[in-house]
Amino acid sequence: MSRPLQLPPPTTTLGLYRQLLRESSYLPSLARPHVDHQIKDRFRRYQKGHVDNDRLRKKLKDAHHELRVLRAANAGDMNRMQKILLKAFGRTGSRRRDLFGNLVRRPPPATTEELEAQVSGTRAWSFDRDPDWLDGWDTEALLAFAKVQAKTSLPSSPRGPLLPKHAVSPDKNIPKENVYGNPFPEKVARTKVRKLYASLADRVLPPLPESEWDRLALVAEGKFEEAGWYVPSRRSAAKSLAGDADAQAGEWKWQLYATRPVGLVDVAQNKKQRLLSGALDENTPHGNTQPVDRHIYTAKFWKRLVKSIWLLTAKGTRDPEKGGYRVTWARAPFQAPTATTSGMEFFESLPVDASLSNKTKGPKKRGRKSAR
């Protein structure tokens, strides 16, 4: 584990693309496939076709920022590493949207009876309307999964709490009549139903594939080799043979200090920004050149971090016989902490026989005794 390298920013789009892929190669093995796919997909999306120059300039600026974030996470920024893992395992970001699409996607009907049941199960609307996005959702699977998530106590959900009142079918919350006693307008009712389903979808943490969920469970237990979890070590940086160029790069640029505020010129050497920039302040008076909030990743750290993310995941499968949706949420068994060697001296004088604990007297009743 080392500080982020103070490499010169890439001058071409292809160089930026290569540095992003190189930096993602130092991520944990289970999180790397999603990050690599996202980098390649975004690069190929804007590689061809007519793209607005302003929009392309903004995308390049965002890519430079993501490169600094990856370097800081690999160098020991624990908070940024946690955010990357949350995106990689579908708790936030684009991966979550893909997993949610798999959850609400209707299975194709295998027989004519299933097709008729699917059509008849759709709510009939008397007014003529075009099909909307809600018609393509499997609302039964969404509600079944949301009810199980609402009953599960999640430690810290990145999407906000999902209460049992949110997992109720939105059709039940639509009134039959308005304040004047007339039938409730169906167009307004349909709009309200879509809004309620959208609010429910924003709180749902979709299930992971079963194989990936099982591998995360092994990592949460500390079985790294069985799960295929490993973190590559950083390769040594190449040294430039042009010594004059390095000397010129290290020269003091007094013109910047004369024309701009010192705080803006030395912003990269700030202790809170060193993880992003990789810069070092060699002239610091106290001699501590390491950035703040830098942690050393150990096996205990990875186990604790992956376990916190695994408790936010579930796996779900459709039951073809009963027609339901089976959901299994991650649960960590309670383990009482064991006393350390230095703390065992406080328990040596306690009785070993458990029957003695039943003879303890209860609390004394307060009050004056009655005279007989």
Side-chain angles (χ1 to χ4, degrees), residues 148-326:
V148 180
Q149 180 179 341
K151 297 179 182 178
T152 307
S153 58
L154 301 180
S156 56
S157 175
R159 306 301 301 181
L162 179 60
L163 304 178
K165 64 179 182 180
H166 299 144
V168 182
S169 177
D171 296 333
K172 299 180 180 180
N173 297 330
I174 304 301
K176 301 297 181 181
E177 299 178 350
N178 56 12
V179 293
Y180 301 103
N182 299 327
F184 200 79
E186 294 187 355
K187 289 185 178 181
V188 180
R190 183 64 179 180
T191 303
K192 289 183 175 294
V193 168
R194 290 200 303 266
K195 288 184 178 181
L196 291 175
Y197 270 112
S199 177
L200 175 62
D202 188 61
R203 301 173 183 269
V204 167
L205 297 176
L208 285 175
E210 186 174 359
S211 60
E212 186 178 359
W213 189 84
D214 294 338
R215 296 176 71 180
L216 275 182
L218 292 176
V219 178
E221 296 176 1
K223 303 176 181 179
F224 300 101
E225 295 183 0
E226 298 181 15
W229 177 278
Y230 63 92
V231 182
S233 57
R234 180 174 288 276
R235 299 181 294 271
S236 58
K239 297 182 180 180
S240 176
L241 298 178
D244 297 337
D246 295 341
Q248 293 178 3
E251 291 182 356
W252 182 52
K253 300 179 181 180
W254 61 269
Q255 295 87 350
L256 297 178
Y257 291 92
T259 58
R260 301 178 61 185
V262 180
L264 294 179
V265 178
D266 294 339
V267 64
Q269 299 179 1
N270 191 348
K271 293 187 67 175
K272 295 184 178 180
Q273 298 293 331
R274 291 176 192 172
L275 279 174
L276 288 175
S277 62
L280 288 179
D281 188 6
E282 302 295 346
N283 299 323
T284 178
H286 47 75
N288 184 14
T289 59
Q290 294 296 333
V292 295
D293 297 334
R294 176 181 173 272
H295 302 268
I296 299 177
Y297 297 150
T298 60
K300 184 178 180 180
F301 165 80
W302 290 121
K303 178 182 176 181
R304 182 172 64 251
L305 179 60
V306 174
K307 184 178 181 180
S308 64
I309 298 177
W310 177 65
L311 293 176
L312 300 175
T313 61
K315 61 179 180 179
T317 55
R318 299 181 186 272
D319 191 356
E321 298 179 358
K322 299 181 180 180
Y325 197 84
R326 295 181 180 179

Side-chain angles (χ1 to χ4, degrees), residues 74-117:
N74 290 329
D77 196 328
M78 185 173 57
N79 295 329
R80 289 187 171 92
M81 179 60 73
Q82 182 181 11
K83 292 180 180 179
I84 292 175
L85 294 184
L86 286 174
K87 292 181 179 180
F89 297 123
R91 302 305 90 191
T92 58
S94 59
R95 178 89 193 281
R96 176 186 172 275
R97 292 191 292 270
D98 296 339
L99 294 175
F100 182 81
N102 298 334
L103 172 64
V104 298
R105 184 178 295 112
R106 292 181 180 272
T111 59
T112 307
E113 291 77 8
E114 294 182 2
L115 178 60
E116 293 178 354

